[in-house]
Amino acid sequence: MTQDRHLILLRLLHFCDNKNQILGNRLFKIETVVESLRMKFRSVFRPYQKICVDESIVEWKGKLKFKQYIPSKRNRFGIKLFVLCDSKTGFVLDFLVYTGNDQHINFNESLQQSGSVISTLMEPYLNKGHIIYMDNWYSSPLLYQYLLENNTGACGTVRNKRIGMPTFPTKLASGQCVSATTKNMMTCKWKDKRDVHMLSTVHKPKMTVTNKTDRLGNNIKKPQCILDYNANMGLIDKSDMQMSFNNTCRKSMKWYKKFFFHLLDLSVLNSGILYNSLKETKLKIPEYRLKLIQQLLQTHSFSDMNTSPSRPGRKIKGDFPTRLTDHIIT
């Protein structure tokens, strides 16, 4: 493919018919791609018991009505996604695009917006014994009770002013932990460098010795729910990091084109994780991406050689496309 043809294809890249546009649907330009990928992700992988949900952001600094600002992310400005991820493999099970309204969320009045995001993402996985980990933007006793009624455990940090939360002492000594329990739910306040509030339906108020020691040589103890939370909560940030190493995103004036290439990277990441799970290998994502590119080049290049008309110039010698595979990709 020549450079001019490649640039023309990028310029004409489109995913919908503008004549059928629905007023108020801000994802219309790329909704067909989003929904088809969501359906495919849910159908090709069965998650393990522990899963997590967190925000991800696709960098975009241009004008966009639903552009968000998340200071804790590496790319602070862009399109926000609510991502559901398997805690063992890192496979992205589902995602929701935040567009500034609840059009793409099955809104539940009792759970409000944050709880409705969880209920929408978890709908195919309820009543299967999963445990979901989340941060304090989602957590609430009402949401955990809803999940518990649907045979789903939950654990996460929580804001101390949520409805149903007990009142804890204002000041605690460093390392001190106080807790309150009901029949099916536990909440605790632990003093680290700052106060940490936890809520769980799968843990008991138990302190566990870690491998770290303080200045006096004493073993540091932490609540078991916090250790479990830290071990299962970072997979979404890890997925974003893996995609950033070899991303296909390029500068564009259209937000939906850049978002499409992010979805392409997400599909390659998921397919690489699925390949490693089926083949029981530990192939790194950049290596998998390179092999995938080589196979696509071989398949389509051979078909093009047999069907395309001959063009003037030097003939290609040897197996095609060896002249591409010999290059070093950095």
Side-chain angles (χ1 to χ4, degrees):
M1 181 187 298
T2 63
Q3 176 181 333
D4 291 342
R5 177 173 172 79
H6 176 67
L7 295 177
I8 289 175
L9 291 176
L10 287 180
R11 182 162 59 89
L12 300 178
L13 192 62
H14 207 64
F15 312 102
C16 66
D17 186 356
N18 289 335
K19 296 179 181 179
N20 300 325
Q21 185 170 0
I22 302 174
L23 294 178
N25 187 359
R26 296 177 177 176
L27 283 182
F28 175 75
K29 289 287 188 180
I30 199 171
E31 188 172 25
T32 54
V33 180
V34 170
E35 293 303 322
S36 62
L37 283 180
R38 288 185 61 201
M39 185 181 301
K40 182 62 67 174
F41 290 167
R42 292 194 297 261
S43 63
V44 299
F45 185 83
R46 181 179 297 177
Y48 292 88
Q49 183 185 25
K50 297 180 179 180
I51 53 184
C52 63
V53 64
D54 200 359
E55 293 90 12
S56 177
I57 195 161
V58 182
E59 184 180 15
W60 179 257
K61 296 183 179 180
K63 292 184 178 180
L64 189 63
K65 286 186 177 180
F66 52 91
K67 182 177 69 174
Q68 293 291 298
Y69 170 70
I70 305 180
S72 61
K73 299 295 183 181
R74 183 176 181 271
N75 300 321
R76 295 175 294 172
F77 296 92
I79 304 168
K80 184 168 74 171
L81 307 178
F82 301 109
V83 183
L84 186 69
C85 181
D86 179 64
S87 295
K88 184 175 181 179
T89 61
F91 188 92
V92 175
L93 302 168
D94 200 356
F95 63 92
L96 294 173
V97 185
Y98 178 75
T99 58
N101 51 38
D102 300 322
Q103 184 175 1
H104 302 278
I105 299 173
N106 299 327
F107 189 77
N108 188 321
E109 292 185 1
S110 62
L111 301 178
Q112 297 303 312
Q113 186 187 41
S114 59
S116 298
V117 171
I118 299 295
S119 62
T120 302
L121 291 172
M122 286 295 296
E123 186 175 359
Y125 307 105
L126 295 176
N127 296 302
K128 295 182 180 180
H130 289 291
I131 301 174
I132 181 171
Y133 297 84
M134 65 192 80
D135 62 25
N136 58 17
W137 191 79
Y138 309 94
S139 294
S140 69
L142 291 176
L143 173 62
Y144 281 34
Q145 185 61 37
Y146 166 81
L147 294 173
L148 198 61
E149 292 172 355
N150 289 276
N151 192 27
T152 303
C155 175
T157 56
V158 64
R159 298 173 183 175
N160 61 337
K161 294 184 179 180
R162 290 284 193 183
I163 297 176
M165 287 292 293
T167 301
F168 290 112
T170 305
K171 295 183 179 181
L172 296 178
S174 179
Q176 184 181 359
C177 180
V178 293
S179 62
T181 60
T182 62
K183 182 179 179 181
N184 298 314
M185 199 175 303
M186 183 276 299
T187 180
C188 68
K189 177 181 179 181
W190 177 61
K191 178 67 174 181
D192 192 21
K193 294 181 179 179
R194 58 182 180 85
D195 293 335
V196 180
H197 293 81
M198 296 293 297
L199 187 65
S200 176
T201 59
V202 293
H203 295 95
K204 295 182 179 180
K206 177 183 177 182
M207 299 293 288
T208 304
V209 178
T210 64
N211 296 327
K212 298 180 180 180
T213 57
D214 57 16
R215 295 179 180 178
L216 301 177
N218 300 321
N219 291 327
I220 297 177
K221 294 183 178 181
K222 293 183 179 181
Q224 180 62 40
C225 57
I226 290 182
L227 295 176
D228 199 21
Y229 173 84
N230 291 337
N232 292 281
M233 191 57 192
L235 272 298
I236 296 173
D237 290 334
K238 181 181 178 181
S239 299
D240 291 340
M241 179 188 65
Q242 288 178 314
M243 287 188 289
S244 68
F245 293 153
N246 301 92
N247 60 39
T248 57
C249 292
R250 296 295 180 266
K251 184 177 180 180
S252 176
M253 299 297 291
K254 304 293 184 180
W255 69 267
Y256 57 86
K257 291 186 180 181
K258 190 165 186 179
F259 189 58
F260 167 76
F261 285 110
H262 174 80
L263 295 178
L264 187 63
D265 291 334
L266 186 59
S267 302
V268 173
L269 175 68
N270 272 356
S271 63
I273 294 173
L274 194 62
Y275 176 85
N276 286 334
S277 299
L278 295 175
K279 297 293 184 178
E280 297 182 354
T281 59
K282 295 183 179 180
L283 191 65
K284 295 182 180 179
I285 297 301
E287 297 174 353
Y288 171 81
R289 179 190 290 269
L290 182 59
K291 289 189 176 183
L292 178 63
I293 291 172
Q294 290 174 349
Q295 289 186 3
L296 290 174
L297 283 174
Q298 282 187 340
T299 302
H300 294 285
S301 296
F302 277 121
S303 62
D304 290 345
M305 288 177 61
N306 296 330
T307 57
S308 61
S310 59
R311 293 183 295 178
R314 292 182 297 174
K315 302 297 181 181
I316 299 175
K317 296 181 179 180
D319 295 332
F320 187 77
T322 53
R323 63 192 183 98
L324 296 179
T325 58
D326 291 337
H327 286 267
I328 299 175
I329 298 180
T330 60

